[in-house]
Amino acid sequence: MQPATAKWYDRREYVFIEFCVEDSKDVKVNFEKSKFGFSCLGGLDNIKHQNEIDLFEAIDQNESKHKRTDRSVLCCLRKAESGKSWPRLTKQKEKINWLSVDFNNWKDWEDDSDEELSNFDRFSEMMNNMGGEDDLPEVDGADDDESADSDDEKMPDLE
């Protein structure tokens, strides 16, 4: 039995853990208030994987779920207290060799504010209200075919 390699990332209401086990079978996920368990058989050799985590904070085990694909098992843990950042997944500060941060999905959502979102909405609306190409002013010589650049000359053949 060995632990499965996993990556995790934090969001406002959820914490996501992806167990990287290809062709997993007999997947069992156990959501408890402050503990999380995962086990499965994986790969062509049917290696038994088992992971157990004492979580940094409490979760809502009834709202937490998981999804199995051919390449991994993604677990979505609903935070008991949404809006609170998790600086790490585990209660202990020690490094766990099978667990890493999923930097491809990591986002500093704490810095997001409603004001920034409304600024983005106003910017998007402004961009949508701007005219298209038909509204551009005439520029002298922009469409003249006679004003060819030196780049437009035919290049000599390579020897």
Side-chain angles (χ1 to χ4, degrees), residues 73-128:
V73 178
L74 181 64
C75 300
C76 177
L77 310 178
R78 174 73 183 233
K79 293 179 180 179
E81 190 178 335
S82 68
K84 186 173 182 183
S85 173
W86 287 25
R88 62 185 178 277
L89 182 64
T90 61
K91 190 169 247 5
Q92 310 89 313
K93 287 188 176 183
E94 63 196 39
K95 171 110 173 88
I96 299 174
N97 61 357
W98 53 263
L99 182 64
S100 64
V101 174
D102 186 350
F103 287 108
N104 291 332
N105 288 309
W106 192 268
K107 179 182 175 199
D108 286 331
W109 55 265
E110 297 173 291
D111 299 335
D112 291 349
S113 69
D114 294 336
E115 181 181 319
E116 288 177 13
L117 292 175
S118 64
N119 285 343
F120 178 76
D121 291 338
R122 282 194 296 259
F123 177 74
S124 296
E125 184 179 336
M126 180 181 74
M127 293 300 287
N128 289 336

Side-chain angles (χ1 to χ4, degrees), residues 23-29 39-41 46 48-49 68:
D23 301 323
S24 58
K25 299 179 240 355
D26 299 332
V27 175
K28 292 181 182 73
V29 179
S39 66
C40 74
L41 295 175
N46 284 326
K48 173 106 171 129
H49 295 281
R68 184 203 157 285

Side-chain angles (χ1 to χ4, degrees), residues 13-31:
E13 296 181 15
Y14 294 93
V15 172
F16 295 91
I17 309 170
E18 182 177 16
F19 291 93
C20 306
V21 180
E22 291 187 18
D23 301 323
S24 58
K25 299 179 240 355
D26 299 332
V27 175
K28 292 181 182 73
V29 179
N30 184 24
F31 300 107

